[in-house]
Amino acid sequence: QVQLVESGGGSVQAGGSLRLSCAASGVLDSIACMGWFRQAPGKERRRVATIGSDCSTSVADSVKGRFIISQGNAKKSLYLQMNSLDLEDSAMYYCAARARWFSDFNYWGQGTQVTVSS
């Protein structure tokens, strides 16, 4: 089992920055990929960024050039640096992990809210 706990969300004005963190614990050796997803009210959850030995380090086109994903030692932490935030970045942000033998992300945190205001 793997537990994921997000932090770092909050309210920020457009153009500002936030850094999200995800603390991972449990059987981390099984994790092949980690990522950030977000879901705005009334919309589907979407991938924001991924990183790992079994997935590419990449960010979605909508955040390219503004968001950076990084990982701490031994997969114990995951970060998302978000710069130049705009109103459309407002959402609940989720940390997720995928075990080596799964095709989809199978571990999820409870989420951290990001609200961008004008």
Side-chain angles (χ1 to χ4, degrees):
Q1 283 292 334
V2 172
Q3 295 78 41
L4 304 171
V5 179
E6 303 95 335
S7 61
S11 297
V12 63
Q13 287 193 323
S17 298
L18 282 175
R19 188 188 193 215
L20 304 184
S21 299
C22 174
S25 59
V27 185
L28 301 181
D29 287 347
S30 66
I31 298 304
C33 184
M34 296 187 75
W36 289 98
F37 292 74
R38 68 185 182 185
Q39 186 170 20
K43 295 187 177 181
E44 293 184 351
R45 185 168 58 192
R46 293 188 177 275
R47 182 189 74 88
V48 176
T50 56
I51 188 169
S53 61
D54 195 36
C55 61
S56 60
T57 299
S58 64
V59 297
D61 287 344
S62 58
V63 304
K64 196 165 291 184
R66 300 188 296 122
F67 289 13
I68 301 170
I69 188 171
S70 61
Q71 195 171 32
N73 290 337
K75 307 174 189 175
K76 292 182 179 180
S77 52
L78 185 70
Y79 305 101
L80 185 68
Q81 178 65 43
M82 306 187 295
N83 301 318
S84 302
L85 285 161
D86 61 39
L87 300 182
E88 294 190 352
D89 294 320
S90 294
M92 184 71 78
Y93 283 72
Y94 297 92
C95 174
R98 176 173 65 80
R100 196 170 295 112
W101 49 88
F102 279 80
S103 58
D104 293 323
F105 285 84
N106 56 308
Y107 296 111
W108 294 87
Q110 293 191 331
T112 186
Q113 179 68 40
V114 172
T115 302
V116 183
S117 60
S118 58

PDB file of all heavy atoms in Angstrom, residues 65-101:
ATOM      1  N   GLY A  65       5.672  25.324 -19.742  1.00  0.00           N
ATOM      2  CA  GLY A  65       6.358  26.591 -19.589  1.00  0.00           C
ATOM      3  C   GLY A  65       6.015  27.320 -18.306  1.00  0.00           C
ATOM      4  O   GLY A  65       6.649  28.331 -17.972  1.00  0.00           O
ATOM      5  N   ARG A  66       5.001  26.836 -17.574  1.00  0.00           N
ATOM      6  CA  ARG A  66       4.602  27.481 -16.321  1.00  0.00           C
ATOM      7  C   ARG A  66       4.745  26.539 -15.125  1.00  0.00           C
ATOM      8  O   ARG A  66       5.057  26.989 -14.023  1.00  0.00           O
ATOM      9  CB  ARG A  66       3.152  27.948 -16.418  1.00  0.00           C
ATOM     10  CG  ARG A  66       2.901  28.944 -17.539  1.00  0.00           C
ATOM     11  CD  ARG A  66       1.483  29.505 -17.448  1.00  0.00           C
ATOM     12  NE  ARG A  66       0.448  28.495 -17.634  1.00  0.00           N
ATOM     13  CZ  ARG A  66      -0.497  28.218 -16.741  1.00  0.00           C
ATOM     14  NH1 ARG A  66      -0.545  28.876 -15.600  1.00  0.00           N
ATOM     15  NH2 ARG A  66      -1.415  27.295 -16.998  1.00  0.00           N
ATOM     16  N   PHE A  67       4.501  25.268 -15.311  1.00  0.00           N
ATOM     17  CA  PHE A  67       4.543  24.300 -14.217  1.00  0.00           C
ATOM     18  C   PHE A  67       5.754  23.386 -14.391  1.00  0.00           C
ATOM     19  O   PHE A  67       6.117  23.000 -15.507  1.00  0.00           O
ATOM     20  CB  PHE A  67       3.291  23.424 -14.215  1.00  0.00           C
ATOM     21  CG  PHE A  67       2.026  24.120 -13.808  1.00  0.00           C
ATOM     22  CD1 PHE A  67       1.938  25.505 -13.718  1.00  0.00           C
ATOM     23  CD2 PHE A  67       0.888  23.380 -13.503  1.00  0.00           C
ATOM     24  CE1 PHE A  67       0.763  26.135 -13.340  1.00  0.00           C
ATOM     25  CE2 PHE A  67      -0.293  23.990 -13.125  1.00  0.00           C
ATOM     26  CZ  PHE A  67      -0.357  25.375 -13.059  1.00  0.00           C
ATOM     27  N   ILE A  68       6.336  23.005 -13.266  1.00  0.00           N
ATOM     28  CA  ILE A  68       7.476  22.096 -13.268  1.00  0.00           C
ATOM     29  C   ILE A  68       7.219  20.995 -12.240  1.00  0.00           C
ATOM     30  O   ILE A  68       6.923  21.291 -11.076  1.00  0.00           O
ATOM     31  CB  ILE A  68       8.782  22.821 -12.919  1.00  0.00           C
ATOM     32  CG1 ILE A  68       9.048  23.950 -13.914  1.00  0.00           C
ATOM     33  CG2 ILE A  68       9.949  21.848 -12.896  1.00  0.00           C
ATOM     34  CD1 ILE A  68      10.190  24.863 -13.500  1.00  0.00           C
ATOM     35  N   ILE A  69       7.370  19.746 -12.666  1.00  0.00           N
ATOM     36  CA  ILE A  69       7.225  18.614 -11.754  1.00  0.00           C
ATOM     37  C   ILE A  69       8.607  18.125 -11.357  1.00  0.00           C
ATOM     38  O   ILE A  69       9.531  18.094 -12.166  1.00  0.00           O
ATOM     39  CB  ILE A  69       6.395  17.475 -12.384  1.00  0.00           C
ATOM     40  CG1 ILE A  69       6.097  16.387 -11.353  1.00  0.00           C
ATOM     41  CG2 ILE A  69       7.081  16.908 -13.621  1.00  0.00           C
ATOM     42  CD1 ILE A  69       5.103  15.334 -11.837  1.00  0.00           C
ATOM     43  N   SER A  70       8.746  17.751 -10.092  1.00  0.00           N
ATOM     44  CA  SER A  70      10.012  17.203  -9.632  1.00  0.00           C
ATOM     45  C   SER A  70       9.728  16.186  -8.530  1.00  0.00           C
ATOM     46  O   SER A  70       8.642  16.168  -7.942  1.00  0.00           O
ATOM     47  CB  SER A  70      10.950  18.296  -9.142  1.00  0.00           C
ATOM     48  OG  SER A  70      10.384  19.002  -8.056  1.00  0.00           O
ATOM     49  N   GLN A  71      10.749  15.387  -8.243  1.00  0.00           N
ATOM     50  CA  GLN A  71      10.584  14.296  -7.287  1.00  0.00           C
ATOM     51  C   GLN A  71      11.742  14.297  -6.316  1.00  0.00           C
ATOM     52  O   GLN A  71      12.892  14.528  -6.705  1.00  0.00           O
ATOM     53  CB  GLN A  71      10.513  12.976  -8.047  1.00  0.00           C
ATOM     54  CG  GLN A  71      10.014  11.791  -7.276  1.00  0.00           C
ATOM     55  CD  GLN A  71       9.767  10.595  -8.189  1.00  0.00           C
ATOM     56  OE1 GLN A  71      10.458  10.410  -9.188  1.00  0.00           O
ATOM     57  NE2 GLN A  71       8.780   9.783  -7.863  1.00  0.00           N
ATOM     58  N   GLY A  72      11.450  14.011  -5.056  1.00  0.00           N
ATOM     59  CA  GLY A  72      12.496  13.925  -4.063  1.00  0.00           C
ATOM     60  C   GLY A  72      13.158  12.562  -4.059  1.00  0.00           C
ATOM     61  O   GLY A  72      12.811  11.677  -4.848  1.00  0.00           O
ATOM     62  N   ASN A  73      14.087  12.372  -3.142  1.00  0.00           N
ATOM     63  CA  ASN A  73      14.810  11.108  -3.046  1.00  0.00           C
ATOM     64  C   ASN A  73      13.894   9.953  -2.668  1.00  0.00           C
ATOM     65  O   ASN A  73      12.982  10.116  -1.861  1.00  0.00           O
ATOM     66  CB  ASN A  73      15.924  11.231  -2.003  1.00  0.00           C
ATOM     67  CG  ASN A  73      17.036  12.139  -2.482  1.00  0.00           C
ATOM     68  OD1 ASN A  73      17.215  12.334  -3.677  1.00  0.00           O
ATOM     69  ND2 ASN A  73      17.768  12.703  -1.541  1.00  0.00           N
ATOM     70  N   ALA A  74      14.156   8.808  -3.274  1.00  0.00           N
ATOM     71  CA  ALA A  74      13.453   7.564  -2.938  1.00  0.00           C
ATOM     72  C   ALA A  74      11.942   7.681  -3.089  1.00  0.00           C
ATOM     73  O   ALA A  74      11.188   6.981  -2.409  1.00  0.00           O
ATOM     74  CB  ALA A  74      13.786   7.133  -1.512  1.00  0.00           C
ATOM     75  N   LYS A  75      11.500   8.549  -3.980  1.00  0.00           N
ATOM     76  CA  LYS A  75      10.076   8.706  -4.306  1.00  0.00           C
ATOM     77  C   LYS A  75       9.248   9.119  -3.093  1.00  0.00           C
ATOM     78  O   LYS A  75       8.021   8.996  -3.120  1.00  0.00           O
ATOM     79  CB  LYS A  75       9.501   7.398  -4.879  1.00  0.00           C
ATOM     80  CG  LYS A  75      10.280   6.828  -6.033  1.00  0.00           C
ATOM     81  CD  LYS A  75       9.733   5.472  -6.433  1.00  0.00           C
ATOM     82  CE  LYS A  75      10.617   4.791  -7.435  1.00  0.00           C
ATOM     83  NZ  LYS A  75      10.165   3.427  -7.752  1.00  0.00           N
ATOM     84  N   LYS A  76       9.895   9.622  -2.040  1.00  0.00           N
ATOM     85  CA  LYS A  76       9.140   9.965  -0.848  1.00  0.00           C
ATOM     86  C   LYS A  76       8.417  11.295  -0.970  1.00  0.00           C
ATOM     87  O   LYS A  76       7.572  11.626  -0.140  1.00  0.00           O
ATOM     88  CB  LYS A  76      10.056   9.983   0.359  1.00  0.00           C
ATOM     89  CG  LYS A  76      10.578   8.624   0.745  1.00  0.00           C
ATOM     90  CD  LYS A  76      11.440   8.694   1.984  1.00  0.00           C
ATOM     91  CE  LYS A  76      11.932   7.309   2.380  1.00  0.00           C
ATOM     92  NZ  LYS A  76      12.782   7.356   3.581  1.00  0.00           N
ATOM     93  N   SER A  77       8.757  12.074  -1.987  1.00  0.00           N
ATOM     94  CA  SER A  77       8.089  13.354  -2.148  1.00  0.00           C
ATOM     95  C   SER A  77       7.977  13.712  -3.622  1.00  0.00           C
ATOM     96  O   SER A  77       8.820  13.350  -4.434  1.00  0.00           O
ATOM     97  CB  SER A  77       8.830  14.447  -1.380  1.00  0.00           C
ATOM     98  OG  SER A  77      10.186  14.445  -1.727  1.00  0.00           O
ATOM     99  N   LEU A  78       6.913  14.426  -3.900  1.00  0.00           N
ATOM    100  CA  LEU A  78       6.638  14.879  -5.259  1.00  0.00           C
ATOM    101  C   LEU A  78       6.257  16.343  -5.163  1.00  0.00           C
ATOM    102  O   LEU A  78       5.568  16.749  -4.222  1.00  0.00           O
ATOM    103  CB  LEU A  78       5.497  14.068  -5.869  1.00  0.00           C
ATOM    104  CG  LEU A  78       5.147  14.331  -7.322  1.00  0.00           C
ATOM    105  CD1 LEU A  78       6.253  13.807  -8.235  1.00  0.00           C
ATOM    106  CD2 LEU A  78       3.815  13.683  -7.668  1.00  0.00           C
ATOM    107  N   TYR A  79       6.702  17.125  -6.134  1.00  0.00           N
ATOM    108  CA  TYR A  79       6.441  18.554  -6.093  1.00  0.00           C
ATOM    109  C   TYR A  79       5.860  19.036  -7.431  1.00  0.00           C
ATOM    110  O   TYR A  79       6.107  18.444  -8.474  1.00  0.00           O
ATOM    111  CB  TYR A  79       7.734  19.326  -5.814  1.00  0.00           C
ATOM    112  CG  TYR A  79       8.446  18.872  -4.562  1.00  0.00           C
ATOM    113  CD1 TYR A  79       9.540  18.028  -4.637  1.00  0.00           C
ATOM    114  CD2 TYR A  79       8.013  19.298  -3.306  1.00  0.00           C
ATOM    115  CE1 TYR A  79      10.190  17.605  -3.500  1.00  0.00           C
ATOM    116  CE2 TYR A  79       8.660  18.877  -2.162  1.00  0.00           C
ATOM    117  CZ  TYR A  79       9.751  18.032  -2.255  1.00  0.00           C
ATOM    118  OH  TYR A  79      10.379  17.613  -1.119  1.00  0.00           O
ATOM    119  N   LEU A  80       5.132  20.118  -7.331  1.00  0.00           N
ATOM    120  CA  LEU A  80       4.657  20.786  -8.535  1.00  0.00           C
ATOM    121  C   LEU A  80       4.830  22.287  -8.323  1.00  0.00           C
ATOM    122  O   LEU A  80       4.119  22.884  -7.514  1.00  0.00           O
ATOM    123  CB  LEU A  80       3.194  20.458  -8.836  1.00  0.00           C
ATOM    124  CG  LEU A  80       2.657  21.018 -10.146  1.00  0.00           C
ATOM    125  CD1 LEU A  80       3.331  20.327 -11.335  1.00  0.00           C
ATOM    126  CD2 LEU A  80       1.142  20.870 -10.234  1.00  0.00           C
ATOM    127  N   GLN A  81       5.785  22.851  -9.009  1.00  0.00           N
ATOM    128  CA  GLN A  81       5.990  24.296  -8.961  1.00  0.00           C
ATOM    129  C   GLN A  81       5.091  24.919 -10.011  1.00  0.00           C
ATOM    130  O   GLN A  81       5.206  24.599 -11.201  1.00  0.00           O
ATOM    131  CB  GLN A  81       7.452  24.642  -9.238  1.00  0.00           C
ATOM    132  CG  GLN A  81       7.739  26.131  -9.251  1.00  0.00           C
ATOM    133  CD  GLN A  81       7.532  26.788  -7.905  1.00  0.00           C
ATOM    134  OE1 GLN A  81       7.921  26.246  -6.878  1.00  0.00           O
ATOM    135  NE2 GLN A  81       6.911  27.966  -7.898  1.00  0.00           N
ATOM    136  N   MET A  82       4.217  25.793  -9.579  1.00  0.00           N
ATOM    137  CA  MET A  82       3.255  26.414 -10.488  1.00  0.00           C
ATOM    138  C   MET A  82       3.510  27.910 -10.544  1.00  0.00           C
ATOM    139  O   MET A  82       3.411  28.603  -9.524  1.00  0.00           O
ATOM    140  CB  MET A  82       1.825  26.133 -10.007  1.00  0.00           C
ATOM    141  CG  MET A  82       1.531  24.651  -9.800  1.00  0.00           C
ATOM    142  SD  MET A  82      -0.196  24.311  -9.440  1.00  0.00           S
ATOM    143  CE  MET A  82      -0.357  25.130  -7.857  1.00  0.00           C
ATOM    144  N   ASN A  83       3.853  28.399 -11.714  1.00  0.00           N
ATOM    145  CA  ASN A  83       4.142  29.815 -11.917  1.00  0.00           C
ATOM    146  C   ASN A  83       3.138  30.427 -12.886  1.00  0.00           C
ATOM    147  O   ASN A  83       2.474  29.712 -13.638  1.00  0.00           O
ATOM    148  CB  ASN A  83       5.564  29.986 -12.456  1.00  0.00           C
ATOM    149  CG  ASN A  83       6.612  29.403 -11.525  1.00  0.00           C
ATOM    150  OD1 ASN A  83       6.536  29.553 -10.313  1.00  0.00           O
ATOM    151  ND2 ASN A  83       7.604  28.750 -12.106  1.00  0.00           N
ATOM    152  N   SER A  84       3.058  31.715 -12.872  1.00  0.00           N
ATOM    153  CA  SER A  84       2.168  32.452 -13.778  1.00  0.00           C
ATOM    154  C   SER A  84       0.757  31.862 -13.758  1.00  0.00           C
ATOM    155  O   SER A  84       0.156  31.607 -14.807  1.00  0.00           O
ATOM    156  CB  SER A  84       2.727  32.434 -15.208  1.00  0.00           C
ATOM    157  OG  SER A  84       4.021  33.001 -15.252  1.00  0.00           O
ATOM    158  N   LEU A  85       0.242  31.666 -12.587  1.00  0.00           N
ATOM    159  CA  LEU A  85      -1.075  31.046 -12.451  1.00  0.00           C
ATOM    160  C   LEU A  85      -2.153  31.939 -13.037  1.00  0.00           C
ATOM    161  O   LEU A  85      -2.096  33.170 -12.930  1.00  0.00           O
ATOM    162  CB  LEU A  85      -1.356  30.771 -10.982  1.00  0.00           C
ATOM    163  CG  LEU A  85      -0.589  29.579 -10.404  1.00  0.00           C
ATOM    164  CD1 LEU A  85      -0.540  29.649  -8.889  1.00  0.00           C
ATOM    165  CD2 LEU A  85      -1.211  28.267 -10.857  1.00  0.00           C
ATOM    166  N   ASP A  86      -3.116  31.293 -13.682  1.00  0.00           N
ATOM    167  CA  ASP A  86      -4.257  32.060 -14.186  1.00  0.00           C
ATOM    168  C   ASP A  86      -5.559  31.430 -13.669  1.00  0.00           C
ATOM    169  O   ASP A  86      -5.541  30.389 -13.013  1.00  0.00           O
ATOM    170  CB  ASP A  86      -4.239  32.157 -15.707  1.00  0.00           C
ATOM    171  CG  ASP A  86      -4.308  30.816 -16.398  1.00  0.00           C
ATOM    172  OD1 ASP A  86      -5.059  29.932 -15.927  1.00  0.00           O
ATOM    173  OD2 ASP A  86      -3.609  30.642 -17.404  1.00  0.00           O
ATOM    174  N   LEU A  87      -6.659  32.093 -13.957  1.00  0.00           N
ATOM    175  CA  LEU A  87      -7.939  31.680 -13.385  1.00  0.00           C
ATOM    176  C   LEU A  87      -8.282  30.235 -13.721  1.00  0.00           C
ATOM    177  O   LEU A  87      -8.886  29.520 -12.910  1.00  0.00           O
ATOM    178  CB  LEU A  87      -9.051  32.611 -13.875  1.00  0.00           C
ATOM    179  CG  LEU A  87      -8.895  34.092 -13.536  1.00  0.00           C
ATOM    180  CD1 LEU A  87     -10.095  34.883 -14.052  1.00  0.00           C
ATOM    181  CD2 LEU A  87      -8.738  34.304 -12.041  1.00  0.00           C
ATOM    182  N   GLU A  88      -7.887  29.789 -14.904  1.00  0.00           N
ATOM    183  CA  GLU A  88      -8.230  28.432 -15.328  1.00  0.00           C
ATOM    184  C   GLU A  88      -7.421  27.349 -14.623  1.00  0.00           C
ATOM    185  O   GLU A  88      -7.691  26.163 -14.807  1.00  0.00           O
ATOM    186  CB  GLU A  88      -8.068  28.306 -16.841  1.00  0.00           C
ATOM    187  CG  GLU A  88      -9.066  29.165 -17.603  1.00  0.00           C
ATOM    188  CD  GLU A  88      -9.083  28.870 -19.087  1.00  0.00           C
ATOM    189  OE1 GLU A  88      -8.224  28.102 -19.557  1.00  0.00           O
ATOM    190  OE2 GLU A  88      -9.971  29.405 -19.785  1.00  0.00           O
ATOM    191  N   ASP A  89      -6.457  27.762 -13.828  1.00  0.00           N
ATOM    192  CA  ASP A  89      -5.700  26.781 -13.043  1.00  0.00           C
ATOM    193  C   ASP A  89      -6.397  26.445 -11.731  1.00  0.00           C
ATOM    194  O   ASP A  89      -5.957  25.538 -11.019  1.00  0.00           O
ATOM    195  CB  ASP A  89      -4.301  27.326 -12.744  1.00  0.00           C
ATOM    196  CG  ASP A  89      -3.457  27.486 -14.000  1.00  0.00           C
ATOM    197  OD1 ASP A  89      -3.521  26.600 -14.873  1.00  0.00           O
ATOM    198  OD2 ASP A  89      -2.748  28.506 -14.107  1.00  0.00           O
ATOM    199  N   SER A  90      -7.452  27.154 -11.405  1.00  0.00           N
ATOM    200  CA  SER A  90      -8.195  26.864 -10.178  1.00  0.00           C
ATOM    201  C   SER A  90      -8.802  25.470 -10.257  1.00  0.00           C
ATOM    202  O   SER A  90      -9.511  25.145 -11.216  1.00  0.00           O
ATOM    203  CB  SER A  90      -9.312  27.895  -9.976  1.00  0.00           C
ATOM    204  OG  SER A  90      -8.789  29.172  -9.741  1.00  0.00           O
ATOM    205  N   ALA A  91      -8.514  24.660  -9.261  1.00  0.00           N
ATOM    206  CA  ALA A  91      -8.995  23.277  -9.262  1.00  0.00           C
ATOM    207  C   ALA A  91      -8.534  22.591  -7.987  1.00  0.00           C
ATOM    208  O   ALA A  91      -7.713  23.135  -7.240  1.00  0.00           O
ATOM    209  CB  ALA A  91      -8.453  22.514 -10.473  1.00  0.00           C
ATOM    210  N   MET A  92      -9.068  21.394  -7.779  1.00  0.00           N
ATOM    211  CA  MET A  92      -8.512  20.519  -6.763  1.00  0.00           C
ATOM    212  C   MET A  92      -7.374  19.748  -7.420  1.00  0.00           C
ATOM    213  O   MET A  92      -7.557  19.178  -8.499  1.00  0.00           O
ATOM    214  CB  MET A  92      -9.585  19.558  -6.251  1.00  0.00           C
ATOM    215  CG  MET A  92      -9.124  18.676  -5.111  1.00  0.00           C
ATOM    216  SD  MET A  92      -8.895  19.590  -3.575  1.00  0.00           S
ATOM    217  CE  MET A  92     -10.608  19.737  -3.061  1.00  0.00           C
ATOM    218  N   TYR A  93      -6.220  19.767  -6.782  1.00  0.00           N
ATOM    219  CA  TYR A  93      -5.054  19.098  -7.326  1.00  0.00           C
ATOM    220  C   TYR A  93      -4.787  17.813  -6.539  1.00  0.00           C
ATOM    221  O   TYR A  93      -4.744  17.840  -5.307  1.00  0.00           O
ATOM    222  CB  TYR A  93      -3.833  20.015  -7.277  1.00  0.00           C
ATOM    223  CG  TYR A  93      -3.851  21.057  -8.362  1.00  0.00           C
ATOM    224  CD1 TYR A  93      -4.742  22.125  -8.313  1.00  0.00           C
ATOM    225  CD2 TYR A  93      -2.983  20.977  -9.448  1.00  0.00           C
ATOM    226  CE1 TYR A  93      -4.772  23.077  -9.320  1.00  0.00           C
ATOM    227  CE2 TYR A  93      -2.999  21.929 -10.462  1.00  0.00           C
ATOM    228  CZ  TYR A  93      -3.903  22.968 -10.388  1.00  0.00           C
ATOM    229  OH  TYR A  93      -3.922  23.919 -11.391  1.00  0.00           O
ATOM    230  N   TYR A  94      -4.583  16.739  -7.277  1.00  0.00           N
ATOM    231  CA  TYR A  94      -4.376  15.430  -6.673  1.00  0.00           C
ATOM    232  C   TYR A  94      -3.002  14.874  -7.025  1.00  0.00           C
ATOM    233  O   TYR A  94      -2.565  14.954  -8.178  1.00  0.00           O
ATOM    234  CB  TYR A  94      -5.430  14.436  -7.160  1.00  0.00           C
ATOM    235  CG  TYR A  94      -6.840  14.787  -6.775  1.00  0.00           C
ATOM    236  CD1 TYR A  94      -7.640  15.542  -7.623  1.00  0.00           C
ATOM    237  CD2 TYR A  94      -7.375  14.364  -5.567  1.00  0.00           C
ATOM    238  CE1 TYR A  94      -8.944  15.861  -7.273  1.00  0.00           C
ATOM    239  CE2 TYR A  94      -8.669  14.676  -5.206  1.00  0.00           C
ATOM    240  CZ  TYR A  94      -9.443  15.434  -6.068  1.00  0.00           C
ATOM    241  OH  TYR A  94     -10.735  15.755  -5.714  1.00  0.00           O
ATOM    242  N   CYS A  95      -2.377  14.301  -6.033  1.00  0.00           N
ATOM    243  CA  CYS A  95      -1.150  13.538  -6.233  1.00  0.00           C
ATOM    244  C   CYS A  95      -1.551  12.085  -6.481  1.00  0.00           C
ATOM    245  O   CYS A  95      -2.476  11.571  -5.829  1.00  0.00           O
ATOM    246  CB  CYS A  95      -0.300  13.660  -4.980  1.00  0.00           C
ATOM    247  SG  CYS A  95       1.196  12.655  -4.967  1.00  0.00           S
ATOM    248  N   ALA A  96      -0.880  11.441  -7.419  1.00  0.00           N
ATOM    249  CA  ALA A  96      -1.225  10.057  -7.746  1.00  0.00           C
ATOM    250  C   ALA A  96       0.032   9.245  -8.018  1.00  0.00           C
ATOM    251  O   ALA A  96       1.065   9.801  -8.407  1.00  0.00           O
ATOM    252  CB  ALA A  96      -2.140  10.018  -8.961  1.00  0.00           C
ATOM    253  N   ALA A  97      -0.093   7.948  -7.829  1.00  0.00           N
ATOM    254  CA  ALA A  97       1.026   7.036  -8.082  1.00  0.00           C
ATOM    255  C   ALA A  97       0.513   5.773  -8.762  1.00  0.00           C
ATOM    256  O   ALA A  97      -0.630   5.365  -8.551  1.00  0.00           O
ATOM    257  CB  ALA A  97       1.736   6.685  -6.774  1.00  0.00           C
ATOM    258  N   ARG A  98       1.369   5.217  -9.584  1.00  0.00           N
ATOM    259  CA  ARG A  98       0.999   3.979 -10.294  1.00  0.00           C
ATOM    260  C   ARG A  98       2.023   2.904  -9.977  1.00  0.00           C
ATOM    261  O   ARG A  98       3.225   3.117 -10.182  1.00  0.00           O
ATOM    262  CB  ARG A  98       0.921   4.228 -11.793  1.00  0.00           C
ATOM    263  CG  ARG A  98       0.647   2.986 -12.614  1.00  0.00           C
ATOM    264  CD  ARG A  98       0.417   3.307 -14.084  1.00  0.00           C
ATOM    265  NE  ARG A  98       1.583   3.862 -14.736  1.00  0.00           N
ATOM    266  CZ  ARG A  98       2.625   3.155 -15.181  1.00  0.00           C
ATOM    267  NH1 ARG A  98       2.634   1.853 -15.013  1.00  0.00           N
ATOM    268  NH2 ARG A  98       3.619   3.766 -15.798  1.00  0.00           N
ATOM    269  N   ALA A  99       1.541   1.791  -9.520  1.00  0.00           N
ATOM    270  CA  ALA A  99       2.427   0.663  -9.258  1.00  0.00           C
ATOM    271  C   ALA A  99       2.871   0.033 -10.574  1.00  0.00           C
ATOM    272  O   ALA A  99       2.196   0.145 -11.605  1.00  0.00           O
ATOM    273  CB  ALA A  99       1.702  -0.378  -8.395  1.00  0.00           C
ATOM    274  N   ARG A 100       3.963  -0.659 -10.509  1.00  0.00           N
ATOM    275  CA  ARG A 100       4.614  -1.199 -11.711  1.00  0.00           C
ATOM    276  C   ARG A 100       3.702  -2.106 -12.514  1.00  0.00           C
ATOM    277  O   ARG A 100       3.758  -2.131 -13.735  1.00  0.00           O
ATOM    278  CB  ARG A 100       5.871  -1.939 -11.280  1.00  0.00           C
ATOM    279  CG  ARG A 100       6.851  -2.236 -12.386  1.00  0.00           C
ATOM    280  CD  ARG A 100       8.167  -2.758 -11.820  1.00  0.00           C
ATOM    281  NE  ARG A 100       8.851  -1.755 -11.025  1.00  0.00           N
ATOM    282  CZ  ARG A 100       9.023  -1.838  -9.703  1.00  0.00           C
ATOM    283  NH1 ARG A 100       8.555  -2.874  -9.039  1.00  0.00           N
ATOM    284  NH2 ARG A 100       9.657  -0.894  -9.045  1.00  0.00           N
ATOM    285  N   TRP A 101       2.842  -2.849 -11.856  1.00  0.00           N
ATOM    286  CA  TRP A 101       2.027  -3.832 -12.552  1.00  0.00           C
ATOM    287  C   TRP A 101       0.626  -3.316 -12.887  1.00  0.00           C
ATOM    288  O   TRP A 101      -0.250  -4.086 -13.243  1.00  0.00           O
ATOM    289  CB  TRP A 101       1.930  -5.106 -11.716  1.00  0.00           C
ATOM    290  CG  TRP A 101       1.563  -4.852 -10.285  1.00  0.00           C
ATOM    291  CD1 TRP A 101       0.314  -4.760  -9.765  1.00  0.00           C
ATOM    292  CD2 TRP A 101       2.482  -4.623  -9.208  1.00  0.00           C
ATOM    293  NE1 TRP A 101       0.400  -4.489  -8.416  1.00  0.00           N
ATOM    294  CE2 TRP A 101       1.697  -4.405  -8.045  1.00  0.00           C
ATOM    295  CE3 TRP A 101       3.869  -4.584  -9.099  1.00  0.00           C
ATOM    296  CZ2 TRP A 101       2.268  -4.158  -6.799  1.00  0.00           C
ATOM    297  CZ3 TRP A 101       4.440  -4.332  -7.861  1.00  0.00           C
ATOM    298  CH2 TRP A 101       3.642  -4.126  -6.726  1.00  0.00           C
TER     299      TRP A 101
END
